Amino acid sequence: MPAEKSSAVRSRRPVPPRSAGRGSPAPRTRRGGVRRLYEQARRAWDRPLTAYYVILGSSLLITVLGLVMVYSASMIQALNIDKSSTYFFGKQFVAAVIGGALMLIASRMPVKLHRALAYPMLMITVFLMVLVQVPGIGLSRGGNQNWLYLGGPFQLQPSEFGKLALILWGADLLARKQDKRLLTQWKHMLVPLVPVAFMLLGLIMLGGDMGTAIILTAILFGLLWLAGAPTRLFAGVLGFAAVIAFLLIWTSPNRMSRLSCMGIIGEPDPDDGCWQAAHGIYALASGGWFGSGLGASVEKWGQLPEPHTDFIFAITGEELGLAGTLSVLALFAALGYAGIRVAGRTEDPFVRYAAGGVTTWIMAQAVINIGAVLGLLPIAGVPLPLFSYGGSALLPTMFAVGLMIAFARNDPAAKAALAMRRPGVRWKTMRRRVTKRPSGER
């Protein structure tokens, strides 16, 4: 009897799991853990306020990191022109504060007010772009006459506001035509959107700014794509724009030299047009995994022209390394994906066109800037959105981000979620309901 009891006890002891050998399936607990994490991430992303927080958080992080890098990359440039080391940083900080106010205002404005601003903004922008070409009023910088002098150290580039004006006006135009079911006819899809866009492109090209013209063309194609332009029509407009771009590049020695700098190998001369492209690659290559540290860049000491504007991504790679550049790329990817989500989930055609246009603008400009720094694309002279130095580029971009925040807040599910988070509503909804009882009862 005792022997039988001891054998029964031994049979009830837990058997240790066998170790997974070669070719054996992974333990179920690991599969279940990965699947559980995936489901949690998917549910978190499907929440109504996810796009709102991603757009707000990623844009603010890009702007703050950009301020840090502008200060680090511009110190030597400021000292070279006999200014304080914080000269460029101070101007960028003022622009960021004003841009933050514009972003807050845009995020609180109703959609109807955004639509009402479309036509006045377009007319004011066209007037300022015409004013730039008037001798004695417009200023020339870097071979491009696209600036207006505002007094003191402040200047304005109206073509940067032209991107925002085209998006708002084009979105309102396409939304009204969609409501009338006119977008099925190609003439209503193209006119007057394409002629007005070409007018803006002509005013920009009068000043010689090929980079801004490329971004404006990308916005136009984005709006046509969202409007459901047929493939033949889309290809026709794209082919016409490609022919014009080829002619403009072919007739300009400066643009041809920039095109020839793609994938440059070796050490060019300081007077060579590929000097900037080569030293941008050197800056990225010397950064390693984690960089040389903030402020420790070597290329910004005169080797790399414009380290705080067009090539600030190269200085970021040199000082923060691959980890820093991948962080910047991840923030832009999150911002772009959230913008696509806002455009894809809305029922309002204006919101869809405007959010898609803003996302196209920011992503196309980021790809062109980073591609030029990496040597994969020609140097177009466009800043990295929200990151590079330049108040004229920062202000309309932050207003556009506020526009997307307003659209994300306007979603019905997001409205309900925000209403639940108000103190009064939360107290009422979470308060325990107690039925009244006769006096004396407990």
Side-chain angles (χ1 to χ4, degrees), residues 348-382:
D348 189 339
F350 172 78
V351 172
R352 180 169 62 254
Y353 295 135
V358 171
T359 305
T360 303
W361 164 20
I362 295 177
M363 292 299 106
Q365 189 162 324
V367 168
I368 291 173
N369 177 275
I370 295 173
V373 174
L374 296 176
L376 303 176
L377 294 174
I379 300 175
V382 296

Side-chain angles (χ1 to χ4, degrees), residues 65-78:
L65 183 58
L67 286 172
V68 174
M69 292 311 304
V70 164
Y71 174 66
S72 177
S74 65
M75 289 189 295
I76 308 304
Q77 295 285 323

Side-chain angles (χ1 to χ4, degrees), residues 408-423:
R409 290 169 54 93
N410 238 1
D411 184 75
K415 278 185 176 180
L418 287 172
M420 291 291 292
R421 297 195 173 193
R422 293 175 185 171

Side-chain angles (χ1 to χ4, degrees), residues 109 112-122 168 399:
M109 288 170 55
K112 290 183 179 180
L113 186 54
H114 283 297
R115 297 188 69 167
L117 288 177
Y119 280 85
M121 184 177 294
L122 180 65
L168 288 177
F399 186 91

